[in-house]
Amino acid sequence: MSKDTNLMNDCAQSPAPCSVPLPPTNAEVITTVCDYCIVGCGYKVYRWPTTMTQGSTQAATNALGLDFPVTPLSTWVSPNMHTIVKHNGTAHHVLVLPDREAKVVNVGGDHSILGGTLAQKCYREDGPTKDRLKTPLLRVNGTLQPISWELALDIAASIGRYVIDQHGAQAYGIKSYSYQYFENTYAISKFAFRHLQTPNFTFHDTPADVTSTPGFRDAGFDNFAACYEDWRDAETLLICGTDPFETKNTIFTQWIMPGIRNGQKTIFMLPRKTAGVAFAEDNGGLWLDVTPGTDLLVINAIARLIVENQWQDKEWIKNWVNTKWESTSGFGQGTRNTPWQWRTTWGKFQTDGFEDWTQWLLDQPEFSLENAAKVSRVAPEKIVQAARLMAAPRANGNRPKTSIMIEKGLYWSNNTGNTNAISALGIIVGAGGRPGQVIGRGGGHQRGGVRGGKYPRNMSPEKLPGRRRRALDTDRYFISGHTRLAHVIGTTWLQAMSGTYQLRDRFEQLVHNNPHQITSTDRDAVIDTLKRRADSGGTVVINQDIYLIDPIGARYADLILPAATWGESPFMRANGERRIRLYDQFYDAPGEAKPDWWIIAGIATRMGFEGFDWQDASEVAEEAARFTRGSRKDFYPIKIVADKEGKSLHDKMREFGTEGIQGPVMLQDDGQLIGTKRLHDINRKLPDSGPAGVNRFTKKLTAFNSQTGKLNLQKSPWSLFSDYWEWLSPQKDELWLTSGRLKERWQSGFDDKRKPYLNRRLPENIVEIHPDDASTRGIESGDYVEVFSDRVPGHKHTLLGIEADDFRFSKLMENGHIELTSAKVRAVAHVTPQIKQGVLYMDFLRYDAPANALSGRIQDWISGNYNYKMSVARVHRIGESPYKHSFEHFSFARRDLA
């Protein structure tokens, strides 16, 4: 390596200003996209050999065309934007900079703190990322030893085939990410669904293969129908369960703040006040400081005020809401045929249109202003003001253009009820299908999922009485001892699920404590040992990942398969406005690491499955394109044009640069590709013709996702959830506990901990506590505290299905289906009035102190999701942390400063 290596090591570790190499004018430029949140900011990578003369501070001599030092708030380069990597085996400088020429997403080169440190996530053999997985590993006598890919894939395929043949497809469990690029998710789901045909499959954030927003699906809304402009152009914006400034920064700075400055009234509903909330309040907005789990009461109280005052959008409802006649005509969808109702709770949520729904709403005393305010502890005048801002006619007689954004803080508590209620509220205020009038998710991760087959529901052993089979709960199935092979791909399974320690304890019993452990690297001996473990009721574990992050890899995995990731292979993915782009390769993967699609193809081929003989990533994407037809990520027309022009799909995608193209993509008669700005655009015109099999898949997306193309109003009974909420409510010295993202960290922090700049900010988990709650417990900012609960509800190990029609929590308890466990985590206290009194807040996915350990393993029985964001805990002081009197780590400054 060149002398620049030591220079950059010093720069990366030192807080003092230092020189950063500038790219020469002939540096290569590769386009990519930020690898973190849903926003998907466009980036450019400048790459040049370390042996090449660098650019200087004069604009004419560097590839950026800028004179340095630059003026404040203009394009700048920091040590965190630079690293040295290997490209074609030789050392190269790379600068990873936001695209300052961007006209979309991060216009002018805006970016988040995470995006500003993208270069530091790259593998570097002499840097903090040097512990990347570089070769397959086998656990022999408790120690991980390197082995060849040939041996690793042979072992994986042999034990996989044996488990399927001897124990059935359900015994092969796969826990995988849903977001990590089209090529990978397509290969994984093709393997699981079309070939293994296992129902024992789900994604990183759910216990079963279910939707996160059932109410949206039933109403006819897509999660990501909006474009970013819609958040800016709304006159009133209701944001539930997230602060985009914290969780998807550029959405807020680029698209919401300009709207607020232009007069938009932004309403936040969440128990924690952060900078975005403060900025909204300073500009005439509102903070509905809801108590965890009571969102439904506030939403329906707002809806009730609207209909009582006749503020609903009558014309919109008349034109775009299903009526009783349409529901029963045999041609309309109505609510009896929605995906969730016809397989679960017949009649619980159905309505005969607006009048029926209104009567139901007015008949429920729990949705009165007085009751909603009392239970949620939101001031009644705030609820009234929210209803006025969302729906009351303005002085000029016009209705406000209202949009609604939701995220996990809303839909991961009372999952079905909250999403049903917020959908109905969106419908009556006319949020849907028009500029500045939309409803949808803000989003978490980017949308990289393409399904390579249909979930084999008929293979699931779980069935509700009198109804069809439901998706298998992978956590419950594993805890019950039925998963003989656990294939974990790119996710922290233990930390990400509720009741973390119950799941961890079963891994300990079924894997680590099983007597059949590998003692040599001999192929036949290894396979024989793993077969005997599976036959004895134990579990074999295969882990594909980039680091040994959590106990799955570090303690339990028998076989570790090293994956290549962002920057190390060309991939495709979409962002929160369905913008599809190529994330191009710009450096060599570490050691022998391979993309997940390559690993899956190797296992599948050795198991005797055909159709996995891809030569490169573009071939995988080209096959996957057919499976996107009719979806929000439809990029099949791009493949048609690429084939016509004699190009690979990836080569064609490179032409779109950081702008990409919004899905679903359509092909005009003149051969031009056009994107879809707004998914449910009621005024959007489609090409009348085009190549066979293209436009017919996108025509249906002009209206809403129902058979009639109209929307369904749904009831949202509080009674289906209230008994659990009342049982869980804090007792004695307990406090509500909720969790979420922090701006400085991504997911489990798997690579943030390897970035000194970021790791210094949050080296351990925090717990935010209100000053009044802290004072009575003798807690100060910087103290170590123990967050503890002995009321973590979970399922009995033997529970697979429940033979009862009443799924209320009280009935489950009465019938002995629930057991209570305990959990505790250590955290650093942050005493701050930004959190509602009576509520604690933690970073949701610290693998060293997972907040999910304290959330109950009690599902929404209608949807199958966990109530991640709603638990209770006691908190007591342990002693002072090393950060209490030091300013090198942690900032205890309030985050609710605008």
Side-chain angles (χ1 to χ4, degrees):
M1 301 288 283
S2 74
K3 63 181 181 181
D4 294 320
T5 302
N6 290 330
L7 164 68
M8 295 317 300
N9 276 339
D10 294 338
C11 289
Q13 301 295 331
S14 171
C18 63
S19 174
V20 180
L22 293 175
T25 55
N26 59 342
E28 296 176 89
V29 182
I30 303 102
T31 60
T32 188
V33 182
C34 180
D35 191 41
Y36 295 112
C37 83
I38 187 72
V39 183
C41 295
Y43 277 74
K44 289 184 177 179
V45 178
Y46 296 83
R47 181 180 66 198
W48 69 102
T50 55
T51 55
M52 182 182 290
T53 302
Q54 297 172 185
S56 77
T57 57
Q58 304 301 308
T61 67
N62 66 69
L64 305 178
L66 295 172
D67 288 316
F68 287 85
V70 295
T71 58
L73 300 182
S74 62
T75 300
W76 68 302
V77 180
S78 81
N80 283 298
M81 296 173 174
H82 169 269
T83 192
I84 295 175
V85 298
K86 290 288 185 66
H87 169 59
N88 291 335
T90 61
H92 281 66
H93 290 288
V94 292
L95 279 180
V96 186
L97 304 179
D99 182 6
R100 59 193 172 98
E101 298 174 344
K103 302 295 191 296
V104 300
V105 188
N106 55 324
V107 180
D110 197 2
H111 66 91
S112 68
I113 187 172
L114 291 172
T117 60
L118 276 167
Q120 299 304 304
K121 77 185 276 103
C122 298
Y123 169 70
R124 182 167 166 172
E125 60 189 20
D126 61 345
T129 55
K130 62 186 177 183
D131 62 332
R132 275 284 302 277
L133 292 168
K134 308 175 189 67
T135 186
L137 301 172
L138 183 69
R139 194 176 303 276
V140 181
N141 292 318
T143 302
L144 291 171
Q145 297 186 15
I147 59 173
S148 68
W149 268 115
E150 182 178 1
L151 178 57
L153 296 175
D154 204 16
I155 292 171
S158 296
I159 191 63
R161 171 53 65 189
Y162 181 82
V163 165
I164 293 281
D165 292 343
Q166 298 299 315
H167 301 282
Q170 297 94 333
Y172 194 129
I174 297 180
K175 185 77 170 181
S176 178
Y177 49 67
S178 68
Y179 54 85
Q180 235 262 337
Y181 310 112
F182 297 156
E183 295 81 357
N184 290 338
T185 59
Y186 173 77
I188 294 165
S189 57
K190 174 183 177 179
F191 174 62
F193 296 154
R194 270 194 276 166
H195 295 276
L196 297 180
Q197 294 189 313
T198 178
N200 193 356
F201 175 99
T202 193
F203 295 114
H204 65 286
D205 56 353
T206 56
D209 187 20
V210 296
T211 177
S212 293
T213 53
F216 268 24
R217 299 289 178 90
D218 289 350
F221 291 124
D222 189 276
N223 279 333
F224 296 100
C227 66
Y228 292 164
E229 291 178 14
D230 290 320
W231 306 127
R232 178 195 66 196
D233 295 342
E235 294 171 336
T236 299
L237 176 60
L238 173 63
I239 302 176
C240 305
T242 184
D243 175 4
F245 183 77
E246 281 276 338
T247 60
K248 34 202 150 279
N249 183 251
T250 307
I251 283 275
F252 194 86
T253 57
Q254 285 276 307
W255 302 103
I256 297 177
M257 281 181 66
I260 294 174
R261 289 192 173 114
N262 197 39
Q264 178 188 101
K265 304 306 178 187
T266 305
I267 307 164
F268 281 88
M269 187 168 69
L270 66 171
R272 179 173 179 256
K273 182 179 180 181
T274 42
V277 184
F279 186 81
E281 281 193 312
D282 288 351
N283 289 274
L286 279 176
W287 177 32
L288 303 177
D289 51 330
V290 65
T291 296
T294 63
D295 316 70
L296 184 147
L297 297 173
V298 176
I299 293 167
N300 280 343
I302 293 172
R304 184 165 170 162
L305 287 165
I306 290 172
V307 298
E308 286 175 339
N309 287 280
Q310 293 291 300
W311 291 339
Q312 70 270 17
D313 191 333
K314 300 180 182 66
E315 190 68 19
W316 175 263
I317 292 169
K318 175 183 176 182
N319 293 331
W320 291 102
V321 175
N322 277 315
T323 64
K324 179 178 181 180
W325 180 85
E326 290 167 323
S327 299
T328 58
S329 65
F331 298 99
Q333 174 172 329
T335 50
R336 288 187 181 274
N337 279 340
T338 56
W340 290 92
Q341 303 333 331
W342 62 261
R343 71 170 180 261
T344 52
T345 54
W346 283 80
K348 285 282 196 299
F349 307 118
Q350 71 178 55
T351 67
D352 292 330
F354 176 74
E355 297 301 331
D356 180 49
W357 173 83
T358 299
Q359 189 60 56
W360 169 83
L361 183 70
L362 297 176
D363 286 344
Q364 311 306 309
E366 61 266 34
F367 301 144
S368 68
L369 176 61
E370 294 74 20
N371 184 72
K374 177 183 177 181
V375 178
S376 68
R377 295 194 292 133
V378 177
E381 58 269 23
K382 287 186 176 182
I383 298 175
V384 172
Q385 179 67 357
R388 287 186 177 277
L389 290 175
M390 293 183 71
R394 301 293 170 88
N396 60 9
N398 294 333
R399 292 184 51 78
K401 294 197 304 181
T402 296
S403 288
I404 298 175
M405 175 191 289
I406 73 165
E407 213 20 72
K408 297 176 181 65
L410 175 85
Y411 66 72
W412 273 351
S413 55
N414 180 4
N415 183 239
T416 300
N418 283 356
T419 54
N420 282 345
I422 201 68
S423 298
L425 179 60
I427 288 170
I428 68 169
V429 300
R434 294 172 290 180
Q437 293 179 274
V438 296
I439 181 171
R441 283 185 54 190
H445 54 71
Q446 291 173 48
R447 317 313 296 178
V450 173
R451 286 180 178 260
K454 187 176 181 180
Y455 179 82
R457 189 174 301 276
N458 64 314
M459 298 287 288
S460 173
E462 299 207 52
K463 186 176 185 294
L464 299 182
R467 302 177 177 94
R468 75 166 186 163
R469 296 184 183 276
R470 65 183 296 162
L472 185 150
D473 183 314
T474 57
D475 288 1
R476 197 159 64 241
Y477 206 66
F478 179 87
I479 289 170
S480 299
H482 297 294
T483 299
R484 304 304 173 89
L485 171 58
H487 193 162
V488 185
I489 307 173
T491 183
T492 52
W493 185 2
L494 301 187
Q495 285 78 358
M497 294 293 101
S498 285
T500 299
Y501 295 154
Q502 185 187 31
L503 188 60
R504 178 203 62 188
D505 291 346
R506 288 298 277 166
F507 264 94
E508 192 73 14
Q509 295 166 13
L510 297 173
V511 182
H512 191 266
N513 292 344
N514 187 279
H516 303 290
Q517 302 294 325
I518 300 168
T519 58
S520 78
T521 58
D522 177 77
R523 174 194 177 280
D524 293 337
V526 170
I527 293 171
D528 181 65
T529 298
L530 297 180
K531 287 179 179 179
R532 283 186 282 118
R533 187 191 303 171
D535 291 342
S536 71
T539 304
V540 177
V541 181
I542 300 172
N543 187 206
Q544 290 173 220
D545 219 321
I546 64 173
Y547 291 108
L548 290 177
I549 299 168
D550 67 347
I552 292 290
R555 183 170 178 82
Y556 302 125
D558 299 287
L559 186 64
I560 301 283
L561 306 177
T565 186
W566 179 86
E568 300 166 1
S569 174
F571 294 116
M572 291 171 61
R573 188 159 61 178
N575 74 347
E577 59 175 357
R578 296 157 282 100
R579 192 173 295 277
I580 303 166
R581 288 167 293 185
L582 183 73
Y583 299 57
D584 217 346
Q585 180 176 359
F586 60 89
Y587 78 104
D588 301 339
E592 299 176 50
K594 300 291 184 182
D596 286 312
W597 66 261
W598 185 95
I599 299 172
I600 290 295
I603 296 172
T605 300
R606 285 168 173 78
M607 288 181 72
F609 300 136
E610 297 181 352
F612 291 87
D613 54 345
W614 303 301
Q615 297 303 304
D616 57 36
S618 188
E619 285 193 10
V620 189
E622 288 160 12
E623 182 178 322
R626 293 189 297 112
F627 289 79
T628 68
R629 294 177 297 181
S631 75
R632 76 168 81 100
K633 298 180 290 255
D634 188 343
F635 59 88
Y636 185 64
I638 306 176
K639 178 186 181 301
I640 290 176
V641 173
D643 288 345
K644 183 178 180 180
E645 296 176 356
K647 302 172 182 174
S648 72
L649 177 57
H650 279 180
D651 283 342
K652 185 63 183 177
M653 285 301 304
R654 285 187 181 92
E655 298 175 9
F656 292 105
T658 63
E659 183 167 343
I661 186 168
Q662 287 174 276
V665 180
M666 292 170 290
L667 187 57
Q668 296 186 121
D669 294 343
D670 61 3
Q672 296 299 306
L673 293 165
I674 57 173
T676 302
K677 186 173 186 177
R678 187 174 298 103
L679 193 59
H680 297 316
D681 191 336
I682 61 174
N683 298 311
R684 181 163 64 99
K685 296 187 183 301
L686 292 169
D688 291 328
S689 61
V694 181
N695 295 326
R696 66 187 178 91
F697 292 100
T698 54
K699 283 184 179 293
K700 68 178 183 180
L701 296 174
T702 55
F704 298 97
N705 294 347
S706 69
Q707 289 169 306
T708 64
K710 293 184 179 183
L711 295 162
N712 300 306
L713 272 169
Q714 305 158 92
K715 299 172 185 175
S716 47
W718 172 242
S719 61
L720 291 178
F721 180 74
S722 58
D723 66 333
Y724 179 54
W725 185 87
E726 290 164 1
W727 176 87
L728 189 63
S729 294
Q731 302 173 5
K732 298 180 181 178
D733 60 341
E734 289 178 331
L735 299 168
W736 285 109
L737 171 64
T738 191
S739 63
R741 299 186 192 277
L742 297 173
K743 182 191 294 289
E744 298 89 342
R745 284 176 55 82
W746 177 247
Q747 304 288 57
S748 65
F750 61 93
D751 59 12
D752 296 331
K753 71 168 294 186
R754 294 165 176 84
K755 302 174 183 177
Y757 174 72
L758 291 184
N759 199 47
R760 280 197 296 267
R761 288 175 170 242
L762 290 167
E764 296 188 51
N765 207 344
I766 63 163
V767 58
E768 293 178 358
I769 182 171
H770 190 275
D772 293 346
D773 296 323
S775 176
T776 60
R777 293 163 174 80
I779 295 171
E780 299 177 346
S781 286
D783 284 342
Y784 271 137
V785 295
E786 183 178 79
V787 187
F788 167 81
S789 177
D790 56 4
R791 289 202 302 135
V792 182
H795 301 131
K796 295 288 182 67
H797 288 182
T798 57
L799 178 63
L800 289 181
I802 296 180
E803 296 301 321
D805 285 320
D806 194 340
F807 300 105
R808 288 179 300 168
F809 180 78
S810 56
K811 284 293 183 181
L812 298 178
M813 286 285 287
E814 180 182 324
N815 293 327
H817 294 305
I818 303 299
E819 64 179 1
L820 300 183
T821 60
S822 62
K824 61 183 179 181
V825 297
R826 189 182 76 171
V828 178
H830 181 195
V831 180
T832 173
Q834 72 198 37
I835 188 72
K836 186 179 178 74
Q837 186 177 0
V839 181
L840 303 169
Y841 179 90
M842 297 183 70
D843 183 3
F844 84 119
L845 197 57
R846 292 289 303 227
Y847 51 84
D848 50 355
N852 283 349
L854 296 137
S855 62
R857 195 177 287 281
I858 299 303
Q859 295 168 302
D860 180 313
W861 279 103
I862 300 165
S863 69
N865 284 295
Y866 285 144
N867 301 309
Y868 291 107
K869 302 300 182 182
M870 200 181 71
S871 54
V872 293
R874 296 182 175 92
V875 58
H876 67 266
R877 183 178 184 274
I878 300 173
E880 290 188 355
S881 77
Y883 320 111
K884 187 169 184 177
H885 305 292
S886 170
F887 295 98
E888 289 187 26
H889 298 82
F890 275 96
S891 169
F892 297 109
R894 292 171 57 171
R895 301 178 83 97
D896 59 341
L897 304 177

